[in-house]
Amino acid sequence: MLDLLRAVVLGIIEGLTEFLPVSSTGHMILAMPALKIDPEKAPWSTFLYFIQIGAVLAIIIYFWKRLWRQLLRLRVGGFKNHLLTKLVVASIPAAAVGLPFNSWIEDHLEKPPFVALALILGAGVMEWVERRYWRKEEGDASGVTLRQAFLIGVAQCFSIFRGMSRAMSTIMGGLVVGLSPPVAAEFSFYLAIPTLLGAGLLKLVKHRNELHSEEAVLLGVGFMTAFVCAMLVVHPFMQFVKRRRLRPFAIYRVLLGAAVLAWWSQSR
């Protein structure tokens, strides 16, 4: 019963934070010790990555009509201007960086002080980028160029630093290359589909021999909780970025990072 409660709590954290620029992975790294979870043991070694698929499912459902229309449409310029091609191109940099260094990152960067520093640094990046590059132009993710998609993919690489945030990195990358906040957020959500699906499935395959019926139940509970919570978050966030800047999230990141550093220094 206690493990089920832990799965629900982590699913809520994942669903609420995955698509906000506050780092879901950073939150999970901080939450697991508080819940007395050993992330090296099954199913928790797979849990974080698997329940991200539940959050991705929320994105697919929310954007279903728009995404389906864009995937079926062949734009002027042929397949190189197709949304699918842009998502593949944007996924390459993170795969090239993340796959060979994933084990090192897990061993060295998944520590509370590193997460806290990344949260605070990311807040500074958000504030600077929005001050310089924020614009109101309309459009949708289908108008993203191949060059912009690749550069957003490069920006996504910064999310390997736990606490930096995949959503923050890609949305800020989108602003820097000339997208409006809603378009940058939409493309960030689309890019989450191949990125998080790939990471989740790779982890599941890697640890498949450690998972049994009891662990499968916990994964299922976390998956569904993350899905429901993500569904509740996506629409309000899309409405938010249409009207307001992301400063409240930057302030939250600084406060959380400072609190973690204070706690860590006191616990040593």
Side-chain angles (χ1 to χ4, degrees):
M1 183 60 70
L2 181 58
D3 279 346
L4 281 175
L5 180 60
R6 289 168 172 159
V8 170
V9 171
L10 292 179
I12 291 172
I13 294 172
E14 166 62 25
L16 293 180
T17 60
E18 180 59 56
F19 302 111
L20 302 181
V22 296
S23 179
S24 63
T25 304
H27 278 74
M28 300 284 268
I29 291 171
L30 298 174
M32 282 186 169
L35 295 172
K36 302 187 185 308
I37 291 174
D38 183 352
E40 300 299 322
K41 294 183 178 179
W44 311 113
S45 54
T46 307
F47 190 87
L48 165 61
Y49 298 90
F50 180 74
I51 66 173
Q52 288 177 334
I53 300 176
V56 167
L57 181 60
I59 287 295
I60 294 173
I61 292 176
Y62 179 79
F63 285 105
W64 177 251
K65 290 184 179 179
R66 185 183 303 182
L67 187 58
W68 186 250
R69 184 171 62 251
Q70 292 179 19
L71 289 175
L72 289 180
R73 184 196 312 170
L74 188 61
R75 296 177 62 86
V76 175
F79 197 69
K80 71 176 184 178
N81 283 333
H82 195 278
L83 177 62
L84 184 61
T85 306
K86 297 168 188 176
L87 292 177
V88 171
V89 168
S91 300
I92 292 173
V97 173
L99 289 175
F101 295 106
N102 185 63
S103 296
W104 185 90
I105 291 166
E106 290 180 350
D107 292 339
H108 295 86
L109 298 184
E110 294 191 354
K111 312 291 184 185
F114 291 114
V115 172
L117 290 173
L119 284 167
I120 295 170
L121 177 61
V125 171
M126 289 172 63
E127 184 66 17
W128 180 79
V129 169
E130 283 205 314
R131 282 175 178 268
R132 184 165 183 177
Y133 296 101
W134 194 87
R135 55 186 53 78
K136 288 187 176 181
E137 286 85 350
E138 297 297 328
D140 59 42
S142 64
V144 175
T145 67
L146 207 58
R147 175 180 174 275
Q148 288 173 326
F150 177 75
L151 292 175
I152 292 170
V154 172
Q156 184 173 233
C157 293
F158 289 99
S159 65
I160 67 172
F161 298 101
R162 308 314 197 208
M164 189 60 74
S165 170
R166 192 206 64 82
M168 187 281 292
S169 299
T170 51
I171 293 173
M172 293 303 105
L175 295 186
V176 170
V177 300
L179 305 183
S180 66
V183 176
E186 182 182 348
F187 191 80
S188 172
F189 289 165
Y190 290 172
L191 185 54
I193 297 173
T195 302
L196 300 184
L197 277 179
L201 292 175
L202 282 174
K203 276 288 182 178
L204 195 60
V205 170
K206 180 179 178 180
H207 295 280
R208 63 188 183 279
N209 295 326
E210 303 172 11
L211 302 176
H212 307 289
S213 58
E214 183 178 347
E215 286 83 359
V217 170
L218 294 178
L219 290 175
V221 169
F223 179 98
M224 289 306 301
T225 307
F227 165 72
V228 171
C229 291
M231 284 293 293
L232 296 175
V233 165
V234 175
H235 180 71
F237 182 67
M238 286 300 296
Q239 296 304 307
F240 183 92
V241 296
K242 289 178 181 178
R243 299 178 176 87
R244 299 182 61 187
R245 301 197 179 197
L246 298 174
R247 182 172 294 171
F249 297 101
I251 294 172
Y252 169 78
R253 291 175 65 108
V254 171
L255 293 176
L256 178 59
V260 171
L261 287 176
W263 164 81
W264 180 73
S265 63
Q266 291 295 323
S267 65
R268 290 181 61 83

